[in-house]
Amino acid sequence: MSPPPPKILAGGANHTWLRDVAFSPFGTHIMTVADDNQCRFWNVFDNSSPKFVTVLPDSISCCFSPDGRVAAVGSKNGSVHFISYPVSVQKLAQLCRHVIRRIVQNTNNIDRLSVPLPLKRYLMYRDFETFG
């Protein structure tokens, strides 16, 4: 790829520059590729270390497939690696929120819905504990 994508951030325990970050289609996982040649998969609901790590030299870009089961990682030499990622089953509340937020994209419109206040807060990501 010419020019190569810019570096994003140097941080974490290894102080390595990130090359790219991708969010899974349902927003439950994050994938990163970094200059340490590692591709990491993170669960956004779990603060612990990555759920899956693989070594892919010279990685510069990443993305998820539309169903979130396959990830693609591009390298500096133009090759693309496909990774089958073990998708965890999401909670029904998270799936419902995702579907409703796709239909009602403006948070002002969520306030107008005829649903209980705790559900409105959950849909607007203001209350994570009620339905999580």
Side-chain angles (χ1 to χ4, degrees):
M1 180 179 278
S2 180
K7 296 176 182 179
I8 299 172
L9 168 75
N14 59 3
H15 300 289
T16 301
W17 287 97
L18 290 180
R19 287 294 183 162
D20 199 8
V21 176
F23 290 86
S24 66
F26 291 107
T28 57
H29 294 86
I30 298 172
M31 175 177 39
T32 62
V33 291
D35 281 349
D36 63 355
N37 295 325
Q38 294 195 9
C39 178
R40 294 174 178 87
F41 293 86
W42 309 81
N43 183 336
V44 298
F45 299 112
D46 187 354
N47 292 340
S48 63
S49 51
K51 295 298 170 196
F52 180 74
V53 178
T54 186
V55 176
L56 295 171
D58 298 326
S59 299
I60 57 172
S61 63
C62 60
C63 67
F64 281 96
S65 65
D67 67 0
R69 294 176 188 258
V70 177
V73 178
S75 66
K76 290 178 184 176
N77 68 5
S79 64
V80 178
H81 299 273
F82 294 97
I83 304 165
S84 178
Y85 180 68
V87 178
S88 57
V89 177
Q90 299 174 49
K91 294 181 180 178
L92 182 58
Q94 174 66 19
L95 288 172
C96 292
R97 176 168 52 189
H98 181 74
V99 169
I100 291 171
R101 288 299 302 260
R102 278 194 171 179
I103 295 168
V104 182
Q105 295 177 357
N106 187 339
T107 55
N108 294 329
N109 293 336
I110 291 175
D111 276 335
R112 297 179 189 142
L113 293 175
S114 298
V115 296
L117 184 59
L119 182 55
K120 287 181 185 181
R121 287 185 185 137
Y122 182 75
L123 291 172
M124 292 189 285
Y125 292 89
R126 292 186 185 154
D127 186 0
F128 294 105
E129 299 302 320
T130 303
F131 296 95

